[in-house]
Amino acid sequence: MAGSNFIDYVKIVCRSGKGGAGSAHFHRAKYVPKGGPDGGNGGRGGHIILRGNRNLWTLLHLKYQRHVFATNGQAGSECRSSGKDGEDRIIEVPCGTAVYDADDGKFLCEVTDDGQEIKLLRGGRGGLGNWNFKSPTNQAPRYAQPGEPSIEKTVILELKLLADVGLVGFPNAGKSTLLSSISAAKPKIADYPFTTLEPNLGIVSYRDSRSFVMADIPGIIEGASEGKGLGLRFLRHIERNAVLLFMIPADTEGIRREYEILLSELEKFNPDLADKGKVLAVTKCDMLDDELIDEIRRTDLPEGIPTVFISSVTGLGLTELKDLLWRTINDEDNRIPSRITHRDLDVRHRVAEEDEFIIEQEDSGDADETWDVEWPEEYWEDDFKEE
């Protein structure tokens, strides 16, 4: 995977800007011997903002930008002049990006829509100048507030493809062949295992100009949850899918057994995947006659799952398969938002080469800052809301 441009997992360091210090200046001018306090407020630090961009499809651009730092706010000055705000840093990400805390793996947020903005780290608020603290009993305050410190966090960005149907199967089950037959996608197809090394998306045309999106992921083998084969690295791309299409070749030794193995591996990755809508497609049926198909129906199919016998080469059963998928996608039970869940990252779900990436973090120098006075109540109004 080192030479692939499909990057769906990156680890970066983000730091918002710290607020500028307030000024403790006193007005001095000719013929104004006691002008009073006129120190201005410090500017706020820059935010770290995530923005969805539908024109991006991987996190490749962030693989070479490991540090994202916003600028600090400037200090206030005389004549009630406020300091300049720090510049925000906007991180463009593909739609379907989830964000996790790199230290404990906790889920933080997700970006699903084009143009959606989420304030990942808030910039520190600027300190108040001494003119804010003057009063009849305190006419010459000689203090001002420092700015709020910056916030620094190491985060993991994980891309999860947005699709309606996810293809699940062992290597050489015919997943890429099906995708190329019913969509305009051109995935790599060959007669050896693990031909697909990265996910592929295809738009499947349906009746009356309708369509749905299908995602093909690399094949799963028994023991994938323990790191065998390509492991579970790409299963994140079917977590958002409304329907899972299990694909098992007709010439396999046991269709029911292979289905149970695949379902078991999915449950080990994320137990919520077992609750999604499921459809079974028995592939490569151009090698079977009607008698063999009937025998498989009677003896070797799992119970409780709709099944279609197909052949991507001859087109057998493809129309029936699309009809079944469309009905399952539009089933209300499969469209509930709560079905889209995000488990916290654990050791099995993390990418080793990213976690071993060492980032030298600069000391922001805010640890010993103290606050001289309390902030006015009205200044604490929360202006930092998700866009």
Side-chain angles (χ1 to χ4, degrees):
M1 294 302 296
S4 173
N5 286 331
F6 184 82
I7 305 298
D8 58 356
Y9 184 110
V10 295
K11 180 180 178 182
I12 62 175
V13 170
C14 300
R15 182 195 298 161
S16 62
K18 63 180 179 181
S23 173
H25 188 268
F26 287 86
H27 181 68
R28 292 293 180 265
K30 193 175 183 180
Y31 308 120
V32 186
K34 296 182 180 181
D38 71 342
N41 301 334
R44 70 157 177 84
H47 305 310
I48 301 295
I49 299 174
L50 295 176
R51 178 189 292 166
N53 187 338
R54 65 183 178 184
N55 296 319
L56 297 175
W57 68 287
T58 77
L59 298 171
L60 177 65
H61 60 293
L62 294 176
K63 183 177 181 180
Y64 306 102
Q65 186 183 357
R66 298 293 187 163
H67 301 80
V68 181
F69 295 159
T71 59
N72 299 329
Q74 295 183 0
S77 57
E78 60 188 39
C79 298
R80 299 185 183 181
S81 297
S82 297
K84 182 181 178 181
D85 291 342
E87 295 182 6
D88 298 336
R89 289 291 180 263
I90 297 178
I91 305 175
E92 301 273 355
V93 295
C95 299
T97 300
V99 185
Y100 300 87
D101 190 317
D103 296 328
D104 55 17
K106 294 294 184 182
F107 171 74
L108 299 178
C109 62
E110 62 176 334
V111 179
T112 57
D113 301 319
D114 181 48
Q116 177 186 0
E117 292 189 354
I118 294 179
K119 208 168 270 128
L120 182 62
L121 298 180
R122 189 189 72 178
R125 281 174 280 199
L128 297 179
N130 62 345
W131 74 274
N132 292 277
F133 305 109
K134 65 181 181 179
S135 67
T137 58
N138 185 19
Q139 297 183 6
R142 299 181 180 278
Y143 49 79
Q145 288 178 327
E148 275 189 326
S150 60
I151 302 174
E152 186 171 288
K153 186 182 289 292
T154 304
V155 298
I156 290 172
L157 302 181
E158 188 180 72
L159 174 62
K160 301 180 181 182
L161 295 180
L162 299 174
D164 299 302
V165 179
L167 303 182
V168 181
F170 284 86
N172 274 12
K175 302 185 296 298
S176 297
T177 305
L178 173 65
L179 187 65
S180 64
S181 299
I182 62 178
S183 75
K186 300 298 180 185
K188 182 178 180 180
I189 300 173
D191 59 354
Y192 55 85
F194 296 110
T195 307
T196 301
L197 295 177
E198 59 189 42
N200 295 291
L201 283 179
I203 299 178
V204 181
S205 299
Y206 190 60
R207 307 175 193 271
D208 301 327
S209 300
R210 293 175 291 185
S211 63
F212 57 89
V213 181
M214 180 175 287
D216 172 28
I217 66 170
I220 304 169
I221 64 173
E222 186 174 6
S225 57
E226 301 171 0
K228 295 182 180 179
L230 293 179
L232 301 177
R233 175 168 180 176
F234 296 105
L235 282 180
R236 67 175 69 100
H237 295 295
I238 62 173
E239 284 187 299
R240 296 180 184 273
N241 303 161
V243 178
L244 301 180
L245 176 59
F246 290 81
M247 300 187 63
I248 301 176
D251 58 351
T252 188
E253 293 182 0
I255 295 177
R256 181 182 305 172
R257 178 180 175 276
E258 286 202 3
Y259 170 76
E260 292 173 351
I261 293 173
L262 291 170
L263 187 60
S264 174
E265 295 296 334
L266 295 185
E267 291 176 344
K268 290 176 182 178
F269 175 75
N270 186 349
D272 294 330
L273 290 176
D275 298 329
K276 291 185 177 291
K278 294 183 283 293
V279 174
L280 173 61
V282 180
T283 63
K284 305 179 183 180
C285 289
D286 52 303
M287 302 183 298
L288 305 180
D289 55 23
D290 293 339
E291 183 178 349
L292 287 175
I293 291 177
D294 291 338
E295 182 179 353
I296 292 175
R297 287 184 188 275
R298 293 193 308 268
T299 62
D300 200 22
L301 291 182
E303 299 179 357
I305 176 172
T307 304
V308 182
F309 289 81
I310 67 170
S311 171
S312 301
V313 176
T314 64
L316 171 67
L318 295 185
T319 301
E320 181 184 354
L321 175 63
K322 290 195 284 187
D323 290 338
L324 179 56
L325 290 175
W326 183 261
R327 291 195 301 270
T328 310
I329 291 171
N330 290 278
D331 189 335
E332 287 298 324
D333 292 338
N334 298 324
R335 307 304 296 178
I336 301 176
S338 61
R339 298 278 183 178
I340 302 176
T341 58
H342 299 277
R343 77 287 178 276
D344 294 335
L345 290 176
D346 59 27
V347 176
R348 296 179 301 118
H349 301 155
R350 300 177 75 146
V351 180
E353 57 266 29
E354 288 289 331
D355 282 351
E356 293 170 0
F357 183 82
I358 299 175
I359 304 173
E360 295 182 359
Q361 303 183 25
E362 300 175 3
D363 186 5
S364 60
D366 297 324
D368 296 327
E369 276 193 359
T370 57
W371 303 89
D372 295 328
V373 293
E374 294 184 357
W375 294 68
E377 187 67 28
E378 63 272 11
Y379 198 76
W380 280 106
E381 295 180 0
D382 186 14
D383 296 329
F384 305 96
K385 299 179 181 178
E386 181 179 323
E387 300 295 336

